[in-house]
Amino acid sequence: CGMLLALMLVLGFVESQIPVAVGIPGIKLGLSNGVLIFAVYMLDIPTAYVLMVFKVFLSNVLFGSLGVTFAMGFAGGLASLTAMVLISRIKGMHPVTVSIVGGVFHNVGQILMAMLLLGTAELGYYLIVLAITGTVAGLFIGLCGALLIRRIPNRI
């Protein structure tokens, strides 16, 4: 778990160094989500939640702040992981689909938190843009996660 958490932190840092090429605020690949997909399938669910909480907390301590960015990251992570856990339990659900759902729900969680913090529902329109980008990012991360799940034996 320590290695997985370290990997999530490194991937999050690397991702923070990539400039937003498309010019749309809030767009990220979600590289550390690939580790969470792995955790959902290869570890137990409580461990996946612990990894997510520690990743959000430590990322904000090391690279951000414990204010709004923590609330946004936690809301996105909680919504994403919960959606991935629920959908992964459906028989025959592929990790790529699970990842896409996670990508979209990460954005849903963040938009809901932003709406709560700012006291406005006007941000809801932005969810359309983020749902599209979350789907694309989720597809990419899901393909990577599925590769890991297939290649690493279930001995953890």
Side-chain angles (χ1 to χ4, degrees):
C1 287
M3 289 189 326
L4 292 175
L5 179 59
L7 179 60
M8 291 171 79
L9 290 170
V10 168
L11 290 172
F13 177 74
V14 167
E15 183 175 50
S16 74
Q17 302 304 304
I18 300 171
V20 178
V22 292
I24 302 171
I27 305 295
K28 290 187 175 182
L29 275 176
L31 296 173
S32 63
N33 197 39
V35 177
L36 277 183
I37 299 242
F38 176 83
V40 165
Y41 281 92
M42 304 296 276
L43 304 175
D44 59 39
I45 301 308
T47 301
Y49 277 99
V50 169
L51 284 172
M52 184 276 297
V53 169
F54 274 105
K55 187 266 182 190
V56 171
F57 176 75
L58 291 173
S59 290
N60 281 277
V61 167
L62 295 170
F63 314 121
S65 68
L66 288 177
V68 173
T69 56
F70 175 78
M72 299 288 286
F74 183 75
L78 184 62
S80 173
L81 184 55
T82 300
M84 288 192 301
V85 165
L86 292 173
I87 198 146
S88 70
R89 299 305 173 233
I90 298 172
K91 186 176 171 79
M93 192 61 60
H94 196 275
V96 173
T97 305
V98 172
S99 178
I100 290 170
V101 168
V104 171
F105 271 83
H106 189 275
N107 294 327
V108 168
Q110 287 193 322
I111 288 291
L112 289 175
M113 180 56 76
M115 290 167 61
L116 178 69
L117 292 174
L118 297 173
T120 179
E122 293 179 11
L123 292 173
Y125 76 91
Y126 198 51
L127 190 55
I128 297 166
V129 173
L130 293 179
I132 294 167
T133 59
T135 299
V136 173
L139 175 66
F140 172 74
I141 297 303
L143 290 169
C144 295
L147 255 166
L148 279 175
I149 291 166
R150 261 195 322 224
R151 302 233 187 249
I152 297 177
N154 192 5
R155 286 188 244 147
I156 296 177

